[in-house]
């Protein structure tokens, strides 16, 4: 790898799109690579390792700005700071996931109540009220369902 990898070679090796690598350069996650005489980007082992770190950080759900911060710590060899910051970021992500799970559970319960309401309405013949022509628009979708009507 003395000459370096081209962007296509690097992208294939890491399973990335070359446009992604160029974007990471544009936003400062990767330094501008050296160029061959013909103008091709050439990447070293350091850029490859940096991209691997970026990929792992993305798997954790980190934003590009968070990734940029931890990449800087890693490049500078500040492992203690990096680990502390990663712990903080992971704890925050876990809290966000827990909140999302709670929101999804509540949403699922709401949908279940609405499903039962609509099912009961249909089985009782109340859906006939929605048949055209009607003087007012059907309000089946807009009805607020507080509790199951079982």
């Amino acid at each position: 790898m003395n000459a370096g990898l081209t962007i296509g070679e690097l992208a294939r090796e890491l399973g990335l799109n070359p446009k992604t690598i160029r974007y990471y350069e544009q936003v400062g996650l990767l330094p501008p690579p050296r160029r061959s005489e013909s103008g091709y980007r050439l990447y070293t082992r350091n850029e490859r390792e940096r991209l691997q770190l970026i990929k792992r950080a993305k798997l954790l759900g980190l934003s590009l700005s968070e990734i940029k911060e931890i990449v800087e710590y890693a490049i500078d060899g500040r492992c203690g700071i990096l680990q502390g910051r990663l712990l903080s970021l992971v704890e925050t992500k876990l809290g966000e996931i827990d909140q999302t799970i709670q929101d999804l559970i509540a949403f699922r319960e709401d949908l279940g109540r609405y499903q039962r309401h609509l099912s009961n309405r249909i089985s009782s013949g109340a859906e006939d009220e929605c048949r055209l022509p009607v003087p007012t628009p059907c309000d089946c979708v807009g009805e607020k369902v507080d509790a199951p009507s079982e």
Side-chain angles (χ1 to χ4, degrees), residues 16-38:
L16 293 170
N17 187 312
K19 289 181 181 179
T20 301
I21 295 172
R22 285 190 288 271
Y23 179 72
Y24 290 163
E25 290 170 18
Q26 182 183 352
V27 298
L29 283 170
L30 276 177
R34 65 185 174 87
R35 301 277 183 152
S36 69
E37 288 182 20
S38 55

PDB file of all heavy atoms in Angstrom, residues 16-38:
ATOM      1  N   LEU A  16     -17.937   1.071   1.141  1.00  0.00           N
ATOM      2  CA  LEU A  16     -18.481   2.433   1.122  1.00  0.00           C
ATOM      3  C   LEU A  16     -18.682   2.889  -0.316  1.00  0.00           C
ATOM      4  O   LEU A  16     -18.081   2.351  -1.240  1.00  0.00           O
ATOM      5  CB  LEU A  16     -17.525   3.410   1.817  1.00  0.00           C
ATOM      6  CG  LEU A  16     -17.339   3.246   3.315  1.00  0.00           C
ATOM      7  CD1 LEU A  16     -16.192   4.111   3.808  1.00  0.00           C
ATOM      8  CD2 LEU A  16     -18.621   3.598   4.045  1.00  0.00           C
ATOM      9  N   ASN A  17     -19.461   3.920  -0.473  1.00  0.00           N
ATOM     10  CA  ASN A  17     -19.635   4.560  -1.765  1.00  0.00           C
ATOM     11  C   ASN A  17     -18.536   5.624  -1.895  1.00  0.00           C
ATOM     12  O   ASN A  17     -18.279   6.360  -0.927  1.00  0.00           O
ATOM     13  CB  ASN A  17     -21.021   5.215  -1.811  1.00  0.00           C
ATOM     14  CG  ASN A  17     -21.376   5.759  -3.151  1.00  0.00           C
ATOM     15  OD1 ASN A  17     -20.597   6.454  -3.789  1.00  0.00           O
ATOM     16  ND2 ASN A  17     -22.583   5.443  -3.593  1.00  0.00           N
ATOM     17  N   PRO A  18     -17.894   5.741  -3.060  1.00  0.00           N
ATOM     18  CA  PRO A  18     -16.885   6.794  -3.219  1.00  0.00           C
ATOM     19  C   PRO A  18     -17.423   8.193  -2.912  1.00  0.00           C
ATOM     20  O   PRO A  18     -16.696   9.033  -2.374  1.00  0.00           O
ATOM     21  CB  PRO A  18     -16.470   6.676  -4.684  1.00  0.00           C
ATOM     22  CG  PRO A  18     -16.749   5.260  -5.042  1.00  0.00           C
ATOM     23  CD  PRO A  18     -17.975   4.875  -4.242  1.00  0.00           C
ATOM     24  N   LYS A  19     -18.711   8.426  -3.202  1.00  0.00           N
ATOM     25  CA  LYS A  19     -19.304   9.738  -2.891  1.00  0.00           C
ATOM     26  C   LYS A  19     -19.296   9.992  -1.386  1.00  0.00           C
ATOM     27  O   LYS A  19     -19.123  11.123  -0.945  1.00  0.00           O
ATOM     28  CB  LYS A  19     -20.738   9.810  -3.417  1.00  0.00           C
ATOM     29  CG  LYS A  19     -20.834   9.896  -4.920  1.00  0.00           C
ATOM     30  CD  LYS A  19     -22.277   9.985  -5.360  1.00  0.00           C
ATOM     31  CE  LYS A  19     -22.367  10.038  -6.868  1.00  0.00           C
ATOM     32  NZ  LYS A  19     -23.753  10.112  -7.336  1.00  0.00           N
ATOM     33  N   THR A  20     -19.475   8.931  -0.619  1.00  0.00           N
ATOM     34  CA  THR A  20     -19.444   9.062   0.844  1.00  0.00           C
ATOM     35  C   THR A  20     -18.060   9.483   1.308  1.00  0.00           C
ATOM     36  O   THR A  20     -17.921  10.365   2.162  1.00  0.00           O
ATOM     37  CB  THR A  20     -19.850   7.731   1.499  1.00  0.00           C
ATOM     38  OG1 THR A  20     -21.161   7.378   1.053  1.00  0.00           O
ATOM     39  CG2 THR A  20     -19.834   7.829   3.009  1.00  0.00           C
ATOM     40  N   ILE A  21     -17.047   8.876   0.732  1.00  0.00           N
ATOM     41  CA  ILE A  21     -15.672   9.218   1.109  1.00  0.00           C
ATOM     42  C   ILE A  21     -15.383  10.674   0.754  1.00  0.00           C
ATOM     43  O   ILE A  21     -14.815  11.416   1.559  1.00  0.00           O
ATOM     44  CB  ILE A  21     -14.675   8.259   0.422  1.00  0.00           C
ATOM     45  CG1 ILE A  21     -14.897   6.832   0.951  1.00  0.00           C
ATOM     46  CG2 ILE A  21     -13.236   8.716   0.669  1.00  0.00           C
ATOM     47  CD1 ILE A  21     -14.108   5.765   0.222  1.00  0.00           C
ATOM     48  N   ARG A  22     -15.795  11.101  -0.438  1.00  0.00           N
ATOM     49  CA  ARG A  22     -15.596  12.507  -0.822  1.00  0.00           C
ATOM     50  C   ARG A  22     -16.355  13.442   0.117  1.00  0.00           C
ATOM     51  O   ARG A  22     -15.864  14.512   0.486  1.00  0.00           O
ATOM     52  CB  ARG A  22     -16.013  12.720  -2.278  1.00  0.00           C
ATOM     53  CG  ARG A  22     -15.015  12.179  -3.274  1.00  0.00           C
ATOM     54  CD  ARG A  22     -15.317  12.615  -4.698  1.00  0.00           C
ATOM     55  NE  ARG A  22     -16.478  11.946  -5.257  1.00  0.00           N
ATOM     56  CZ  ARG A  22     -16.440  10.776  -5.917  1.00  0.00           C
ATOM     57  NH1 ARG A  22     -15.293  10.152  -6.081  1.00  0.00           N
ATOM     58  NH2 ARG A  22     -17.543  10.259  -6.393  1.00  0.00           N
ATOM     59  N   TYR A  23     -17.572  13.040   0.519  1.00  0.00           N
ATOM     60  CA  TYR A  23     -18.348  13.862   1.448  1.00  0.00           C
ATOM     61  C   TYR A  23     -17.633  13.978   2.796  1.00  0.00           C
ATOM     62  O   TYR A  23     -17.566  15.065   3.380  1.00  0.00           O
ATOM     63  CB  TYR A  23     -19.755  13.282   1.636  1.00  0.00           C
ATOM     64  CG  TYR A  23     -20.587  14.074   2.602  1.00  0.00           C
ATOM     65  CD1 TYR A  23     -21.072  15.334   2.248  1.00  0.00           C
ATOM     66  CD2 TYR A  23     -20.862  13.604   3.882  1.00  0.00           C
ATOM     67  CE1 TYR A  23     -21.819  16.090   3.138  1.00  0.00           C
ATOM     68  CE2 TYR A  23     -21.600  14.341   4.774  1.00  0.00           C
ATOM     69  CZ  TYR A  23     -22.079  15.589   4.401  1.00  0.00           C
ATOM     70  OH  TYR A  23     -22.807  16.334   5.282  1.00  0.00           O
ATOM     71  N   TYR A  24     -17.086  12.870   3.281  1.00  0.00           N
ATOM     72  CA  TYR A  24     -16.356  12.912   4.545  1.00  0.00           C
ATOM     73  C   TYR A  24     -15.160  13.860   4.456  1.00  0.00           C
ATOM     74  O   TYR A  24     -14.830  14.531   5.427  1.00  0.00           O
ATOM     75  CB  TYR A  24     -15.892  11.520   4.960  1.00  0.00           C
ATOM     76  CG  TYR A  24     -17.008  10.586   5.399  1.00  0.00           C
ATOM     77  CD1 TYR A  24     -16.787   9.224   5.470  1.00  0.00           C
ATOM     78  CD2 TYR A  24     -18.268  11.053   5.748  1.00  0.00           C
ATOM     79  CE1 TYR A  24     -17.787   8.356   5.882  1.00  0.00           C
ATOM     80  CE2 TYR A  24     -19.273  10.197   6.154  1.00  0.00           C
ATOM     81  CZ  TYR A  24     -19.022   8.842   6.217  1.00  0.00           C
ATOM     82  OH  TYR A  24     -20.012   7.995   6.627  1.00  0.00           O
ATOM     83  N   GLU A  25     -14.536  13.916   3.299  1.00  0.00           N
ATOM     84  CA  GLU A  25     -13.448  14.881   3.101  1.00  0.00           C
ATOM     85  C   GLU A  25     -13.994  16.301   3.160  1.00  0.00           C
ATOM     86  O   GLU A  25     -13.426  17.178   3.802  1.00  0.00           O
ATOM     87  CB  GLU A  25     -12.771  14.655   1.746  1.00  0.00           C
ATOM     88  CG  GLU A  25     -11.971  13.386   1.651  1.00  0.00           C
ATOM     89  CD  GLU A  25     -11.515  13.084   0.230  1.00  0.00           C
ATOM     90  OE1 GLU A  25     -11.524  14.004  -0.619  1.00  0.00           O
ATOM     91  OE2 GLU A  25     -11.155  11.932  -0.031  1.00  0.00           O
ATOM     92  N   GLN A  26     -15.120  16.505   2.485  1.00  0.00           N
ATOM     93  CA  GLN A  26     -15.724  17.839   2.400  1.00  0.00           C
ATOM     94  C   GLN A  26     -16.098  18.381   3.776  1.00  0.00           C
ATOM     95  O   GLN A  26     -15.915  19.567   4.050  1.00  0.00           O
ATOM     96  CB  GLN A  26     -16.962  17.767   1.502  1.00  0.00           C
ATOM     97  CG  GLN A  26     -17.664  19.066   1.289  1.00  0.00           C
ATOM     98  CD  GLN A  26     -18.935  18.877   0.442  1.00  0.00           C
ATOM     99  OE1 GLN A  26     -19.206  17.812  -0.092  1.00  0.00           O
ATOM    100  NE2 GLN A  26     -19.703  19.932   0.333  1.00  0.00           N
ATOM    101  N   VAL A  27     -16.616  17.519   4.656  1.00  0.00           N
ATOM    102  CA  VAL A  27     -17.049  17.981   5.978  1.00  0.00           C
ATOM    103  C   VAL A  27     -15.951  17.900   7.029  1.00  0.00           C
ATOM    104  O   VAL A  27     -16.182  18.213   8.188  1.00  0.00           O
ATOM    105  CB  VAL A  27     -18.314  17.226   6.469  1.00  0.00           C
ATOM    106  CG1 VAL A  27     -19.489  17.477   5.549  1.00  0.00           C
ATOM    107  CG2 VAL A  27     -18.051  15.746   6.658  1.00  0.00           C
ATOM    108  N   GLY A  28     -14.764  17.464   6.635  1.00  0.00           N
ATOM    109  CA  GLY A  28     -13.627  17.488   7.540  1.00  0.00           C
ATOM    110  C   GLY A  28     -13.410  16.231   8.362  1.00  0.00           C
ATOM    111  O   GLY A  28     -12.582  16.234   9.273  1.00  0.00           O
ATOM    112  N   LEU A  29     -14.147  15.166   8.070  1.00  0.00           N
ATOM    113  CA  LEU A  29     -13.903  13.912   8.780  1.00  0.00           C
ATOM    114  C   LEU A  29     -12.624  13.238   8.293  1.00  0.00           C
ATOM    115  O   LEU A  29     -11.993  12.496   9.029  1.00  0.00           O
ATOM    116  CB  LEU A  29     -15.076  12.945   8.594  1.00  0.00           C
ATOM    117  CG  LEU A  29     -16.322  13.245   9.421  1.00  0.00           C
ATOM    118  CD1 LEU A  29     -17.475  12.373   8.973  1.00  0.00           C
ATOM    119  CD2 LEU A  29     -16.042  13.032  10.892  1.00  0.00           C
ATOM    120  N   LEU A  30     -12.280  13.488   7.050  1.00  0.00           N
ATOM    121  CA  LEU A  30     -11.045  12.973   6.459  1.00  0.00           C
ATOM    122  C   LEU A  30     -10.245  14.151   5.941  1.00  0.00           C
ATOM    123  O   LEU A  30     -10.820  15.074   5.357  1.00  0.00           O
ATOM    124  CB  LEU A  30     -11.356  12.070   5.259  1.00  0.00           C
ATOM    125  CG  LEU A  30     -11.700  10.624   5.470  1.00  0.00           C
ATOM    126  CD1 LEU A  30     -12.028   9.967   4.133  1.00  0.00           C
ATOM    127  CD2 LEU A  30     -10.586   9.883   6.151  1.00  0.00           C
ATOM    128  N   PRO A  31      -8.946  14.117   6.090  1.00  0.00           N
ATOM    129  CA  PRO A  31      -8.136  15.193   5.498  1.00  0.00           C
ATOM    130  C   PRO A  31      -8.077  15.013   3.981  1.00  0.00           C
ATOM    131  O   PRO A  31      -8.288  13.902   3.480  1.00  0.00           O
ATOM    132  CB  PRO A  31      -6.761  14.983   6.124  1.00  0.00           C
ATOM    133  CG  PRO A  31      -6.708  13.527   6.430  1.00  0.00           C
ATOM    134  CD  PRO A  31      -8.116  13.129   6.788  1.00  0.00           C
ATOM    135  N   PRO A  32      -7.810  16.077   3.245  1.00  0.00           N
ATOM    136  CA  PRO A  32      -7.661  15.915   1.800  1.00  0.00           C
ATOM    137  C   PRO A  32      -6.519  14.933   1.520  1.00  0.00           C
ATOM    138  O   PRO A  32      -5.442  15.047   2.104  1.00  0.00           O
ATOM    139  CB  PRO A  32      -7.308  17.312   1.301  1.00  0.00           C
ATOM    140  CG  PRO A  32      -7.719  18.227   2.402  1.00  0.00           C
ATOM    141  CD  PRO A  32      -7.639  17.447   3.678  1.00  0.00           C
ATOM    142  N   PRO A  33      -6.760  13.947   0.667  1.00  0.00           N
ATOM    143  CA  PRO A  33      -5.714  12.963   0.403  1.00  0.00           C
ATOM    144  C   PRO A  33      -4.667  13.523  -0.546  1.00  0.00           C
ATOM    145  O   PRO A  33      -4.898  14.516  -1.239  1.00  0.00           O
ATOM    146  CB  PRO A  33      -6.478  11.820  -0.258  1.00  0.00           C
ATOM    147  CG  PRO A  33      -7.592  12.504  -0.966  1.00  0.00           C
ATOM    148  CD  PRO A  33      -7.981  13.661  -0.082  1.00  0.00           C
ATOM    149  N   ARG A  34      -3.527  12.857  -0.560  1.00  0.00           N
ATOM    150  CA  ARG A  34      -2.537  13.253  -1.561  1.00  0.00           C
ATOM    151  C   ARG A  34      -3.047  12.786  -2.909  1.00  0.00           C
ATOM    152  O   ARG A  34      -3.956  11.955  -2.997  1.00  0.00           O
ATOM    153  CB  ARG A  34      -1.164  12.693  -1.219  1.00  0.00           C
ATOM    154  CG  ARG A  34      -1.028  11.211  -1.256  1.00  0.00           C
ATOM    155  CD  ARG A  34       0.373  10.778  -0.781  1.00  0.00           C
ATOM    156  NE  ARG A  34       0.448   9.342  -0.687  1.00  0.00           N
ATOM    157  CZ  ARG A  34       0.773   8.535  -1.700  1.00  0.00           C
ATOM    158  NH1 ARG A  34       1.091   9.035  -2.869  1.00  0.00           N
ATOM    159  NH2 ARG A  34       0.801   7.227  -1.523  1.00  0.00           N
ATOM    160  N   ARG A  35      -2.479  13.339  -3.955  1.00  0.00           N
ATOM    161  CA  ARG A  35      -2.935  13.026  -5.315  1.00  0.00           C
ATOM    162  C   ARG A  35      -1.802  12.407  -6.124  1.00  0.00           C
ATOM    163  O   ARG A  35      -0.637  12.732  -5.936  1.00  0.00           O
ATOM    164  CB  ARG A  35      -3.407  14.299  -6.024  1.00  0.00           C
ATOM    165  CG  ARG A  35      -4.542  15.052  -5.360  1.00  0.00           C
ATOM    166  CD  ARG A  35      -5.852  14.449  -5.729  1.00  0.00           C
ATOM    167  NE  ARG A  35      -6.967  15.194  -5.150  1.00  0.00           N
ATOM    168  CZ  ARG A  35      -8.152  15.247  -5.698  1.00  0.00           C
ATOM    169  NH1 ARG A  35      -8.390  14.647  -6.829  1.00  0.00           N
ATOM    170  NH2 ARG A  35      -9.117  15.912  -5.098  1.00  0.00           N
ATOM    171  N   SER A  36      -2.198  11.549  -7.048  1.00  0.00           N
ATOM    172  CA  SER A  36      -1.215  10.982  -7.983  1.00  0.00           C
ATOM    173  C   SER A  36      -0.889  12.045  -9.025  1.00  0.00           C
ATOM    174  O   SER A  36      -1.542  13.097  -9.092  1.00  0.00           O
ATOM    175  CB  SER A  36      -1.786   9.738  -8.657  1.00  0.00           C
ATOM    176  OG  SER A  36      -2.840  10.093  -9.542  1.00  0.00           O
ATOM    177  N   GLU A  37       0.094  11.766  -9.845  1.00  0.00           N
ATOM    178  CA  GLU A  37       0.459  12.712 -10.907  1.00  0.00           C
ATOM    179  C   GLU A  37      -0.714  12.974 -11.842  1.00  0.00           C
ATOM    180  O   GLU A  37      -0.841  14.067 -12.389  1.00  0.00           O
ATOM    181  CB  GLU A  37       1.662  12.193 -11.690  1.00  0.00           C
ATOM    182  CG  GLU A  37       2.955  12.269 -10.918  1.00  0.00           C
ATOM    183  CD  GLU A  37       4.150  11.790 -11.734  1.00  0.00           C
ATOM    184  OE1 GLU A  37       4.054  11.755 -12.978  1.00  0.00           O
ATOM    185  OE2 GLU A  37       5.167  11.466 -11.109  1.00  0.00           O
ATOM    186  N   SER A  38      -1.555  11.974 -12.004  1.00  0.00           N
ATOM    187  CA  SER A  38      -2.718  12.151 -12.886  1.00  0.00           C
ATOM    188  C   SER A  38      -3.935  12.708 -12.147  1.00  0.00           C
ATOM    189  O   SER A  38      -5.006  12.850 -12.727  1.00  0.00           O
ATOM    190  CB  SER A  38      -3.061  10.827 -13.566  1.00  0.00           C
ATOM    191  OG  SER A  38      -3.249   9.824 -12.593  1.00  0.00           O
TER     192      SER A  38
END
